[in-house]
Amino acid sequence: MTEARRIVIVPCSGIGKTYGTVSREAAYDLTRDIRPEATWLVPLSLLVLGDEQARADVDGSQAITIDGCKLACASKMVAESGGRIAREIAVLDVYRQHRDLKPEGIAKLNRAGLELAKTLAQELAAFVDSLEGQEGEAHHA
Amino acid sequence: MTDFLEITVDKFTFKVASDRRYSAEGMWALEEPGGRVRIGLSDFQQQRSGDVAFAEVKPAGTMLAAGDEVAVIETIKVNIELGSPLSGEVVEVNPLMELEPERINQDPYGAGWLAVIDAADWVRESLNLHDPQAYFELMKKEADEEIGNI
């Protein structure tokens, strides 16, 4: 799959925020380890700064946004940059489903936080697979 | 329709509903017919606390003295024990708190209410609570201090 066809992943850029850190850990897990061929990480901070390459990567691409809080900066910036949001997810909503994985820590997450990030990444990997499946079906149709 | 006192501090706008009374800790109490009082969290207190992940409210039938823990909320920042602004018996708990506790953030003076209390002595205890203007001044001071320190 070419970079242009990869699904763009945009996590929260909140530094010093536990849930923002979870969103980034999940994005790293997904784009580096779990689905590196199918996904492409775009830092939210570059979109905010108006980086041309980052905006070009997002513009017209399918995107998954991972927000650390309800301000939903990642989702808003991706929409503003012309991305097609296939799924927007908030870390808080994932935590609600896994209350035993309470994230703590900021620069360094606790074990539960890392586990929550992995859980989120796996959930998104399944979603990526379903998107690719739909795309494949569309090509064959 | 509820009127609000409103102030913007830095990038945050805080509202105080003008039809109810407030504890210094940011719990509101709204008198309803039949000696019942609906309670919830002020806009300032919910914004200061952060996005709510879970809210556990004491069940109906719980007897409370003013200041007793009526609910615990877990937010992305902190766990907070909320003290009841009045004495009485919990007669109703907001059913949305179980699955949609984010209503506290979305609509703190409306759908995000926590419980209804059958008040033991509202006439007397309401005097211990702040009127909207007094709470507004208190909130402004706290907001200035807190946001000024960021």
Side-chain angles (χ1 to χ4, degrees):
Chain A
M1 179 176 274
T2 63
E3 279 180 15
R5 288 188 52 202
R6 286 185 189 174
I7 296 161
V8 168
I9 309 298
V10 183
C12 165
S13 64
I15 303 298
K17 308 283 188 188
T18 302
Y19 284 66
T21 305
V22 172
S23 78
R24 287 189 294 280
E25 286 291 341
Y28 299 147
D29 285 346
L30 181 64
T31 58
R32 291 178 181 172
D33 301 329
I34 306 175
R35 292 292 182 273
E37 304 84 12
T39 58
W40 180 250
L41 177 67
V42 173
L44 174 59
S45 52
L46 290 182
L47 293 178
V48 173
L49 289 169
D51 181 89
E52 287 184 15
Q53 184 59 54
R55 290 211 170 208
D57 287 341
V58 169
D59 189 16
S61 297
Q62 290 213 89
I64 296 173
T65 57
I66 314 172
D67 281 298
C69 75
K70 295 294 182 180
L71 291 176
C73 302
S75 299
K76 287 174 185 164
M77 272 314 296
V78 166
E80 199 175 293
S81 303
R84 293 180 291 126
I85 298 177
R87 177 146 182 210
E88 47 183 290
I89 193 160
V91 175
L92 184 60
D93 292 332
V94 181
Y95 171 52
R96 283 200 181 111
Q97 295 160 19
H98 302 277
R99 195 172 182 178
D100 54 322
L101 301 179
K102 181 173 174 52
E104 289 177 346
I106 297 172
K108 189 174 179 187
L109 287 174
N110 64 350
R111 185 184 297 250
L114 292 170
E115 193 59 37
L116 184 66
K118 279 190 172 38
T119 303
L120 171 52
Q122 290 291 352
E123 187 178 319
L124 291 177
F127 183 72
V128 166
D129 293 345
S130 73
L131 277 184
E132 290 194 308
Q134 287 170 15
E135 204 169 90
E137 285 171 19
H139 282 299
H140 288 296
Chain B
M1 191 172 168
T2 307
D3 290 326
F4 296 97
L5 302 170
E6 191 173 313
I7 186 175
T8 299
V9 181
D10 193 25
K11 60 185 178 183
F12 304 97
T13 297
F14 304 113
K15 292 181 175 181
V16 172
S18 56
D19 59 354
R20 57 201 79 189
R21 299 183 75 84
Y22 296 83
S23 70
E25 293 76 31
M27 292 289 289
W28 57 257
L30 176 65
E31 185 181 16
E32 297 189 340
R36 295 186 167 191
V37 177
R38 193 172 298 264
I39 65 170
L41 202 59
S42 74
D43 181 38
F44 174 61
Q45 194 60 33
Q46 69 82 11
Q47 290 197 54
R48 167 197 246 179
S49 303
D51 296 340
V52 177
F54 298 101
E56 291 174 0
V57 185
K58 295 286 185 189
T62 304
M63 299 300 298
L64 297 167
D68 282 357
E69 179 187 300
V70 65
V72 176
I73 60 169
E74 178 181 335
T75 78
I76 61 172
K77 297 179 185 172
V78 289
N79 288 3
I80 310 174
E81 295 173 0
L82 302 175
S84 176
L86 71 155
S87 305
E89 179 184 356
V90 177
V91 291
E92 191 180 348
V93 172
N94 187 346
L96 292 175
M97 290 301 108
E98 194 170 342
L99 294 176
E100 300 174 50
E102 65 269 26
R103 294 297 185 106
I104 294 172
N105 301 115
Q106 295 165 350
D107 189 9
Y109 296 119
W113 61 276
L114 295 173
V116 177
I117 310 285
D118 189 6
D121 190 355
W122 173 245
V123 173
R124 185 178 60 82
E125 288 190 330
S126 65
L127 299 175
N128 298 330
L129 300 174
H130 296 291
D131 64 31
Q133 188 62 48
Y135 178 68
F136 184 67
E137 298 301 327
L138 177 67
M139 180 208 73
K140 271 200 301 190
K141 187 167 172 282
E142 291 184 3
D144 282 336
E145 285 174 4
E146 208 158 297
I147 293 168
N149 288 333
I150 289 176

